[in-house]
Amino acid sequence: MALARSGIELRCLCIDTHSRFIHPKFIQNVRLIQSGPHCQNVEVIATLKDGKELCLEPTAPWVKLIIKAILDKEALQLF
Amino acid sequence: MALARSGIELRCLCIDTHSRFIHPKFIQNVRLIQSGPHCQNVEVIATLKDGKELCLEPTAPWVKLIIKAILDKEALQLF
């Protein structure tokens, strides 16, 4: 588990990031959290369909691809 | 307000979508919610820094640009 829990986000939520590809069909939603005073990193948190939350690396090409696939349903058919 | 509230997401959350460009500096985070049995639409919900939540149109080019900008901090400098 690479996600630190806090009621209000006053610090980074991700301790480290999941490095392996996750098929978009296992992903329920993705949160993109801007960097700011609470955390200097952009954070990408995927909630899987089984309820697990995983931090993803914002700069990883596969993460960008998954986000593109979610936004563009046509792209999902490529998987 | 174009966001329907429900404790558990058993239906679409967005009633309609915000059509005007929002500068990424006003956005705190963005949630991408996959389509599924609960809702046939992909939903993109931006939380602004003032706490307001807005539904965005997943296929709008400016929405994709904002998401790209959040993922790629370098791109933010273009704004």
Side-chain angles (χ1 to χ4, degrees), chain A residues 20-75:
Chain A
R20 275 191 252 165
F21 176 79
I22 300 163
H23 195 292
K25 74 179 176 187
F26 298 119
I27 296 176
Q28 187 180 77
N29 68 64
V30 178
R31 266 186 299 157
L32 313 177
I33 302 167
Q34 291 247 51
S35 56
H38 71 290
C39 178
Q40 65 178 356
N41 311 319
V42 174
E43 298 189 296
V44 178
I45 302 172
T47 305
L48 306 187
K49 288 189 177 162
D50 65 5
K52 273 189 202 148
E53 289 185 312
L54 289 175
C55 289
L56 309 182
E57 172 52 48
T59 58
W62 70 270
V63 173
K64 295 186 179 191
L65 194 65
I66 280 175
I67 288 167
K68 186 173 157 35
I70 293 173
L71 284 175
D72 186 357
K73 286 175 107 172
E74 280 75 63

Side-chain angles (χ1 to χ4, degrees), chain B residues 27 42 57:
Chain B
I27 295 177
V42 175
E57 173 51 48

Side-chain angles (χ1 to χ4, degrees), chain B residues 8 13 19-20 30-31 34-35 44 47 53 61 63:
Chain B
I8 304 165
L13 290 175
S19 55
R20 276 191 251 163
V30 177
R31 266 185 300 158
Q34 291 247 48
S35 56
V44 178
T47 305
E53 290 186 312
V63 172

